[in-house]
Amino acid sequence: MHGFSSFAAVGVIVACLIIMGSFSLVAVNIRTAISELEKNNEIMVTLDKDLSEADAKSLGSEISAIANVRDRIYVSPEEYRESLVKEMGEEYMIGIPPDVFSPQYRVALEDISFAAETELILQAIQGVDTVRSPSREMSALLSVRRVVELVSIILTALLMVVSLFIMANTIKLATFDRREEIGIQRMVGATKSFIRWPFIVEGFFLGIFASIAAYFLQWAAYERFSNDIGKLADSGVLNVLSFDELRLPMLAVFVLIGFLVGVGGSVMAIRKFLKT
């Protein structure tokens, strides 16, 4: 019975760690994706066509003064037309007069969570015609990140409690099975610490074993997931961090949680038994 209980405790801890690890990895990848958006996504600020080049360039200092603006690059009408030619081909520009294009600024942000507010400030600048930004996509991704991080925190707390409960009950069963042995030890003068340590060591090894097993299972599952979405990653639609970048932090967290659950559950169980 005790052996089965130990196996069940290890299984529950492994399952809990994999669930926690999976949500944490999703949260880390979403956070990384948002960081990439902050670096690569820009707000396009189109100026009035009637502005002279000197007036258009003078607006750069006003744009740079906005708190959330990290960088800005001036794009003349000629440069903008050339970029369209490179992207779409010269044939698409046939019949379009050169003076139809307006000067622009490509504006990079410090924090995309304030993209909507920054867009309103840019729109209010005298001489700005339109402001285009992927604010909806940014807001959606930020909302997903907040939900995933909240779920990860709640799940981690709940699963930690479940794991501690299972481990504590496993140690309680082991203690009950050896109650006569413990009673004899108490009768001959054994201290509570002397009786307690074997159970703590047992909990320690169960927790560490479960954490190592969960770590390698998580590694295998994550690699499989990465391979399944490899085509999306190659096309630039979705980038997934390599497990090599995460393995050391993941190992440290898994071992720490396994240690806390194993030793903590043991201490909780044996403390109640030795209160007499």
Side-chain angles (χ1 to χ4, degrees):
M1 179 64 181
H2 173 55
F4 176 77
S5 299
S6 299
F7 177 78
V10 169
V12 169
I13 296 172
V14 168
C16 290
L17 283 172
I18 290 177
I19 295 172
M20 288 186 286
S22 297
F23 273 91
S24 298
L25 288 169
V26 170
V28 167
N29 277 284
I30 290 177
R31 192 178 299 113
T32 303
I34 290 175
S35 297
E36 289 300 315
L37 276 177
E38 291 177 347
K39 295 177 182 177
N40 301 325
N41 278 266
E42 300 168 326
I43 291 179
M44 298 301 299
V45 179
T46 303
L47 307 181
D48 293 335
K49 288 192 298 182
D50 298 333
L51 286 177
S52 65
E53 184 174 1
D55 290 337
K57 289 183 177 181
S58 68
L59 290 179
S61 58
E62 191 171 349
I63 293 174
S64 298
I66 298 174
N68 194 37
V69 171
R70 176 167 52 88
D71 191 19
R72 48 85 181 159
I73 298 175
Y74 176 73
V75 180
S76 67
E78 295 77 14
E79 290 172 333
Y80 181 56
R81 185 184 185 282
E82 289 176 5
S83 67
L84 291 178
V85 169
K86 290 180 181 179
E87 181 180 348
M88 304 173 63
E90 184 66 47
E91 61 273 14
Y92 288 94
M93 297 293 109
I94 297 176
I96 300 178
D99 59 356
V100 77
F101 300 103
S102 302
Q104 296 184 345
Y105 275 98
R106 288 162 38 200
V107 179
L109 305 182
E110 290 284 356
D111 188 346
I112 64 169
S113 59
F114 297 104
E117 293 85 343
T118 307
E119 184 177 346
L120 291 175
I121 297 173
L122 288 167
Q123 189 68 64
I125 295 177
Q126 188 71 28
V128 170
D129 183 22
T130 59
V131 178
R132 303 191 310 275
S133 74
S135 55
R136 291 184 179 179
E137 293 81 357
M138 293 177 184
S139 298
L141 195 55
L142 287 168
S143 298
V144 171
R145 182 185 70 174
R146 284 191 289 267
V147 170
V148 171
E149 289 180 344
L150 180 60
V151 170
S152 297
I153 293 171
I154 294 173
L155 273 178
T156 299
L158 290 176
L159 295 174
M160 279 283 287
V161 172
V162 170
S163 300
L164 282 170
F165 177 78
I166 295 294
M167 181 60 68
N169 277 277
T170 299
I171 300 299
K172 281 181 182 178
L173 287 174
T175 307
F176 184 79
D177 290 342
R178 296 166 58 183
R179 62 191 182 281
E180 293 184 0
E181 176 188 339
I182 294 173
I184 294 173
Q185 289 179 332
R186 295 292 300 276
M187 289 175 62
V188 299
T191 64
K192 291 183 180 181
S193 298
F194 181 83
I195 298 171
R196 184 185 295 115
W197 271 108
F199 295 99
I200 293 177
V201 171
E202 179 182 359
F204 168 79
F205 280 110
L206 287 176
I208 294 300
F209 176 78
S211 66
I212 297 298
Y215 172 76
F216 283 106
L217 288 172
Q218 183 77 78
W219 189 348
Y222 188 80
E223 288 293 333
R224 175 64 183 272
F225 170 77
S226 300
N227 292 333
D228 287 344
I229 64 171
K231 292 182 180 179
L232 290 176
D234 293 339
S235 64
V237 177
L238 179 64
N239 287 318
V240 179
L241 292 174
S242 169
F243 197 82
D244 290 340
E245 302 176 56
L246 306 168
R247 58 183 179 183
L248 291 180
M250 288 293 294
L251 179 61
V253 170
F254 273 38
V255 170
L256 177 61
I257 293 177
F259 170 80
L260 292 176
V261 169
V263 174
S266 302
V267 171
M268 288 168 54
I270 199 67
R271 182 179 59 186
K272 294 181 179 179
F273 191 84
L274 296 176
K275 278 185 176 181
T276 56

